[in-house]
Amino acid sequence: MEPLANTHPARRGDDEKTTAGALRFGEALRLGDAKLAESVAESLIASGSSAATVHARVIAPAMWSIGESWERGQISVADEHLATAISHNVLARLFPHLLQTTIIKRERVMLAAAHGEHHVLGLRMVADILEGAGFDVIYLGADLPLESLLEACRKHHPAVLGLTASMPLNVPTLLDELVEVSRLAEPPLMMVGGRALPPSVAAGLKVPFVVSADQAVHVVEELLAQGSQGPPLDEALLQRIPHGRGAIAGEAEIGTIADHFSETALASADTAREAARRAAAMEQLALRDSLTGMWNRRAYDDRLAELVDEGAEITVLMVDVDHFKTVNDTYGHDVGDATLCRVARSIAQGIRPSDFAARYGGDEFIVLLPGATAGDAAVVAERVRKGVSDGPADPPLTVSIGLARFSGEKRLTGLAVDQALYQAKAAGRNQVAVAGN
């Protein structure tokens, strides 16, 4: 399906930038030029594109083009494996940028390719993006036999399972795996993806179909909010699953030099990811709040200084938990800690990807909204407030929020946002107040 026309100048400019980047990245893959591919991705990150955007709008379409060229016989399997290896290397280099956005450890998501599948670049993208969004990701990778998949589900109890197939011959295997997983005593919620699924099959699915990696976070969050699933396939599609197993796509390539090259590239990329995770863990110690997982006050000071240096227009939100001392005194400090984590989750879910949230101290949280208009900031603040108040009623919980534009001077802005927060408290709590109003 063609994308809808986009008339927003900023978004249109970003689309033009990433489209041009995808063409350059694709050319680098055809040339087998790893350095050029890395340069294309890094220049897009430097110009303000997010790592998730580079995944979805640059690497994915370039690799789709490579896949089509291979299917038409225009390039060899070795060329396709080299392009895939280069892309995996670039994904590993982008991985630290995704980890920088992590706020709170979330539910467990397990990802696997259908038995017989050896093309898992898209699945790797989904794994990286979900891990960057804070989910506890178990990446099982390519060619996973059904019994191994079922055993992993029993052992790890994922909240969500994602399965994929990129070759048409493996679609029946994927459908069979969906059915078998759904028969577990405690089946996970499921989603599927992969370019191999034709519209006729997708129409019979009763689980979400993820079209691109950048949709994955939204799909997982919707599944978790939904909380339960019925049968994964409609009856007509279920009856069409063939019995027995024929040829598996790509079997002839297993054990070839190109295949071993790809395995080496994957191992190298995984080593780079593990190094990035260790570096991120060290950063957590210095810049994260140990209770909520949010950024701490030191990280806030650093981020504010960066935005000021960039000349960004900034709006500041100060979020304060209403009657927090009463919660502690009535329910105990364990419940008080859980309350702070609940507020942190509501803030994380309510802000925009470009925003920055930190625990400022005690029961206060602070949010920086770069580039937000007054209307934008009010919408974000109200979304956070409502997210807290609409949460679990035991104990009942609300927040008050002060909002102020950054004046160019940290101390004066702090006074303004504190005054706005005081106004919200004085007006009855559980509301948003704007400095100067």
Side-chain angles (χ1 to χ4, degrees):
M1 186 175 70
E2 291 296 320
L4 297 175
N6 182 4
T7 58
H8 190 285
R11 176 60 184 274
R12 186 167 63 243
D14 190 54
D15 285 346
E16 291 171 355
K17 179 174 64 175
T18 52
T19 299
L23 292 173
R24 296 199 309 277
F25 194 86
E27 182 62 21
L29 296 183
R30 285 178 173 80
L31 293 171
D33 191 334
K35 291 295 184 184
L36 178 57
E38 292 168 9
S39 175
V40 170
E42 288 170 359
S43 65
L44 287 165
I45 294 293
S47 67
S49 295
S50 69
T53 296
V54 176
H55 277 59
R57 299 189 201 169
V58 177
I59 300 175
M63 278 304 300
W64 271 74
S65 179
I66 289 291
E68 289 171 351
S69 296
W70 173 63
E71 289 170 0
R72 295 185 189 122
Q74 296 169 340
I75 62 174
S76 69
V77 65
D79 292 331
E80 190 273 342
H81 277 65
L82 176 58
T84 301
I86 290 172
S87 295
H88 274 296
N89 177 61
V90 173
L91 290 179
R93 293 176 72 94
L94 293 176
F95 187 63
H97 295 283
L98 290 167
L99 289 183
Q100 289 174 7
T101 65
T102 304
I103 298 175
I104 300 167
K105 208 65 174 176
R106 304 170 74 178
E107 292 85 347
R108 176 166 293 170
V109 180
M110 194 159 69
L111 300 173
H115 187 31
E117 273 293 330
H118 300 274
H119 299 269
V120 291
L121 184 73
L123 188 70
R124 181 71 262 183
M125 290 184 187
V126 171
D128 286 355
I129 287 174
L130 288 172
E131 187 171 351
F135 288 100
D136 179 12
V137 177
I138 298 178
Y139 178 72
L140 300 177
D143 191 23
L144 190 72
L146 174 61
E147 283 307 316
S148 297
L149 175 64
L150 297 176
E151 181 57 30
C153 288
R154 296 186 191 102
K155 178 179 179 181
H156 298 292
H157 303 288
V160 178
L161 170 67
L163 296 174
T164 186
S166 62
M167 302 299 288
L169 282 175
N170 295 329
V171 171
T173 302
L174 171 66
L175 299 179
D176 184 57
E177 289 174 352
L178 287 171
V179 173
E180 292 302 317
V181 170
S182 73
R183 291 172 176 165
L184 289 170
E186 297 180 5
L189 301 166
M190 289 186 283
M191 61 183 184
V192 298
R195 58 183 298 186
L197 276 72
S200 59
V201 170
L205 294 173
K206 292 196 172 183
V207 298
F209 179 54
V210 181
V211 176
S212 61
D214 58 341
Q215 291 182 341
V217 173
H218 175 69
V219 171
V220 169
E221 288 177 339
E222 283 202 330
L223 276 172
L224 293 170
Q226 173 185 318
S228 63
Q229 272 181 331
L233 315 178
D234 67 22
E235 190 61 32
L237 182 57
L238 182 64
Q239 296 303 320
R240 287 166 54 197
I241 301 177
H243 295 287
R245 179 172 175 258
I248 295 295
E251 273 187 326
E253 300 163 19
I254 301 173
T256 63
I257 292 175
D259 184 60
H260 286 303
F261 178 72
S262 288
E263 290 180 2
T264 301
L266 283 172
S268 176
D270 285 342
T271 299
R273 283 187 179 87
E274 189 54 39
R277 290 188 186 102
R278 288 196 297 269
M282 294 301 293
E283 179 189 60
Q284 299 281 336
L285 294 176
L287 298 175
R288 295 284 182 175
D289 172 55
S290 60
L291 173 63
T292 63
M294 296 186 85
W295 297 109
N296 61 22
R297 188 165 179 170
R298 175 181 168 186
Y300 159 76
D301 289 337
D302 290 348
R303 182 56 181 151
L304 178 60
E306 289 174 357
L307 291 173
V308 171
D309 288 343
E310 293 167 7
E313 294 289 328
I314 310 165
T315 301
V316 182
L317 306 181
M318 183 66 80
V319 182
D320 186 89
V321 181
D322 293 328
H323 301 299
F324 181 67
K325 185 177 184 302
T326 301
V327 172
N328 265 338
D329 291 346
T330 303
Y331 298 93
H333 288 282
D334 287 346
V335 173
D337 287 350
T339 294
L340 294 175
C341 291
R342 175 177 148 192
V343 172
R345 283 192 294 271
S346 293
I347 293 172
Q349 291 164 6
I351 63 178
R352 308 167 306 168
S354 58
D355 298 333
F356 180 94
R359 184 180 178 195
Y360 199 67
D363 60 338
E364 286 190 329
F365 301 83
I366 197 160
V367 182
L368 299 174
L369 291 81
T373 66
D376 293 335
V379 168
V380 172
E382 180 59 22
R383 191 160 57 228
V384 170
R385 184 204 64 77
K386 194 170 188 301
V388 175
S389 64
D390 289 353
D394 187 22
L397 190 63
T398 62
V399 294
S400 298
I401 303 176
L403 184 157
R405 298 288 288 176
F406 184 71
S407 65
E409 209 283 321
K410 182 179 175 182
R411 188 182 67 83
L412 293 178
T413 303
L415 290 173
V417 75
D418 279 345
Q419 182 61 31
L421 178 61
Y422 174 79
Q423 291 171 7
K425 294 280 191 183
R429 295 181 170 82
N430 191 25
Q431 55 192 279
V432 178
V434 180
N437 286 3

